[in-house]
């Protein structure tokens, strides 16, 4: 496990309305930085940047992982980059179709002059859910959402793509679906560092979307068995070891799956009954665990998948 140097970046744009920084900038290596945001929900105070993202300093410019949850959120990311390097921002990677992964695209394209890249499934997800996410984000951020415009990536890829930058190898790998249908690994093979986007939740209880639980387990199994990262920069939470990342994400999903499977073996009649037999208390240490409806939704959705997959 690498040693991390954490530097709090207090952003002037947020100081008037927030008593805490939007995120902290964490130096992982001389080239790689994580931007660790709040574990709470989207709000004016965090500009929609309630996620962990980051940036990579190549020889010929900066690569940003995720553009933020609003135009102001994107501006804050740029200010954090400028506190570290004056190299031009050349690329922005959207690691998925959740709003805080791409709602800052317009700012980076129009103001910064960067090119945005995402997977083909990612763009489909953005187009399918973008308007609904936009309305929800506007309600949460109110006046601090001003200037935000939906803007789609300039370039897309299928399955796997190597980014054309100098001095560092960066591979983009489709996960096959995890939290959403379009989550992507941003993989640095020489450093054995992965930006996981919403494939990994650390420190915070993850949310299972309908039909995605078993795919999510497969994506995390690929992370464990094929990539073998030393360092995981998750989509939510602190920079982590692989063991920590797997415990908080794969461990929780496996508990739901195995608990539902056992409940059906014990005679549970339907997914709702099976879900109620799952003991989630080993994960009581995670933020959001106290939300009973949140836990219930996770258990029911996993039980529905197990029920459908059982011969």
């Amino acid at each position: 496990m690498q040693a991390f140097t954490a530097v709090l970046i207090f952003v002037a744009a947020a100081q008037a309305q927030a008593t805490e920084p939007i995120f902290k900038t964490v130096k992982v290596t001389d080239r790689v930085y994580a931007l660790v945001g709040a574990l709470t929900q989207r709000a004016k105070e965090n500009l929609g940047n309630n996620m962990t993202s980051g940036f990579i300093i190549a020889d010929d410019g900066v690569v940003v992982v995720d553009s933020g949850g609003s135009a102001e959120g994107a501006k804050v990311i740029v200010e954090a980059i400028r506190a570290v390097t004056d190299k031009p921002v050349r690329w922005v990677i959207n690691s998925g179709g959740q709003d805080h992964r791409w709602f800052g695209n317009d700012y980076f394209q129009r103001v910064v002059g960067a090119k945005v890249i995402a997977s083909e499934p990612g763009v489909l997800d953005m187009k399918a859910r973008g308007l609904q996410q936009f309305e929800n984000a506007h309600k949460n951020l109110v006046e601090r959402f001003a200037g935000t415009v939906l803007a789609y990536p300039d370039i897309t890829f299928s399955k796997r793509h190597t980014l054309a930058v100098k001095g560092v190898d960066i591979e983009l790998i489709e996960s096959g679906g995890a939290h959403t249908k379009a989550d992507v690994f941003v993989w640095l093979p020489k450093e054995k560092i992965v930006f996981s986007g919403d494939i990994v939740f650390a420190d915070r209880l993850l949310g299972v979307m309908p039909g995605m639980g078993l795919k999510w387990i497969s994506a995390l199994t690929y992370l464990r068995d094929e990539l073998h990262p030393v360092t995981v920069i998750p989509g939510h939470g602190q920079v982590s070891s692989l063991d920590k990342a797997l415990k908080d994400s794969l461990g929780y999903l496996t508990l739901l799956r195995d608990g539902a499977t056992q409940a059906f073996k014990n005679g549970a009649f339907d997914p709702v009954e099976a879900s109620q037999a799952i003991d989630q208390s080993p994960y009581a240490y995670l933020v959001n665990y106290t939300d009973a409806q949140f836990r219930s939704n996770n258990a029911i959705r996993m039980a529905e998948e197990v029920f459908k997959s059982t011969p």
Side-chain angles (χ1 to χ4, degrees), residues 13 43 54 97 111-112 118 121 129 135 162 196-197 235 266 276 281 284:
V111 178
V112 180
R129 298 193 295 135
E135 291 176 1
T162 299
S196 73
N266 291 344
Q276 294 170 348
S281 63

Coordinates of all heavy atoms in Angstrom, one line a residue, residues 13 43 54 97 111-112 118 121 129 135 162 196-197 235 266 276 281 284:
A13 N -14.2 29.7 -4.8 CA -15.6 29.8 -5.3 C -16.6 29.2 -4.4 O -17.8 29.5 -4.4 CB -15.7 29.0 -6.6
A43 N -25.5 18.5 -3.4 CA -26.0 19.7 -2.7 C -25.3 20.9 -3.2 O -24.2 20.8 -3.8 CB -25.8 19.5 -1.2
G54 N -10.3 12.6 -10.1 CA -8.9 12.9 -10.0 C -8.3 13.3 -11.4 O -9.0 13.6 -12.3
G97 N -22.0 7.2 -16.7 CA -23.1 8.0 -17.1 C -23.8 8.7 -15.9 O -24.8 9.4 -16.1
V111 N -14.5 26.1 -22.2 CA -13.6 27.1 -21.5 C -12.1 26.6 -21.5 O -11.2 27.4 -21.7 CB -14.1 27.3 -20.1 CG1 -13.2 28.2 -19.3 CG2 -15.5 27.8 -20.1
V112 N -11.9 25.3 -21.2 CA -10.6 24.8 -21.1 C -10.0 24.3 -22.4 O -8.8 24.3 -22.6 CB -10.6 23.6 -20.1 CG1 -9.2 23.0 -19.9 CG2 -11.2 24.1 -18.7
A118 N -15.4 8.9 -23.7 CA -16.2 8.0 -22.9 C -16.5 6.7 -23.7 O -16.3 6.7 -25.0 CB -17.6 8.6 -22.5
P121 N -21.3 2.7 -24.5 CA -22.4 2.5 -23.6 C -22.6 3.7 -22.7 O -23.7 4.0 -22.3 CB -22.0 1.2 -22.8 CG -21.1 0.5 -23.7 CD -20.3 1.5 -24.4
R129 N -30.5 9.0 -19.7 CA -30.9 9.5 -18.4 C -30.5 11.0 -18.1 O -30.8 11.5 -17.1 CB -30.2 8.7 -17.3 CG -30.5 7.2 -17.3 CD -30.0 6.5 -16.1 NE -28.6 6.5 -16.0 CZ -27.9 6.7 -14.9 NH1 -28.5 7.1 -13.8 NH2 -26.6 6.6 -14.9
E135 N -32.6 17.6 -14.3 CA -33.6 18.2 -13.5 C -33.4 18.0 -12.0 O -33.6 18.9 -11.2 CB -35.0 17.6 -13.9 CG -35.5 18.0 -15.3 CD -36.7 17.3 -15.7 OE1 -37.3 16.5 -14.9 OE2 -37.2 17.5 -16.8
T162 N -6.5 2.7 -25.5 CA -5.3 3.3 -24.9 C -5.3 4.8 -25.3 O -5.3 5.1 -26.5 CB -4.0 2.6 -25.5 OG1 -4.1 1.2 -25.1 CG2 -2.8 3.2 -24.9
S196 N -11.5 3.7 -10.5 CA -12.6 2.7 -10.7 C -13.9 3.4 -11.1 O -14.9 2.6 -11.4 CB -12.8 1.9 -9.5 OG -13.4 2.6 -8.5
G197 N -14.1 4.7 -10.9 CA -15.4 5.3 -11.1 C -16.4 4.6 -10.1 O -16.0 4.1 -9.0
G235 N -14.8 5.4 -6.9 CA -15.8 6.4 -7.3 C -16.3 7.2 -6.2 O -16.8 8.4 -6.3
N266 N -34.0 -21.8 2.0 CA -34.8 -22.0 3.2 C -36.3 -21.8 3.0 O -37.0 -21.9 4.0 CB -34.3 -21.0 4.3 CG -32.8 -21.2 4.7 OD1 -32.3 -22.3 4.5 ND2 -32.2 -20.3 5.3
Q276 N -35.7 -9.8 3.2 CA -35.8 -9.5 4.6 C -35.0 -10.4 5.5 O -34.8 -10.1 6.7 CB -37.3 -9.6 5.0 CG -38.2 -8.5 4.3 CD -39.6 -8.7 4.4 OE1 -40.1 -9.7 4.8 NE2 -40.4 -7.6 4.1
S281 N -25.8 -6.2 8.7 CA -25.1 -5.5 9.8 C -23.6 -5.6 9.8 O -23.0 -4.6 10.3 CB -25.6 -6.1 11.2 OG -25.2 -7.5 11.3
A284 N -22.4 -2.1 8.8 CA -23.0 -1.0 9.5 C -22.0 0.2 9.6 O -22.4 1.3 10.0 CB -23.5 -1.4 10.9

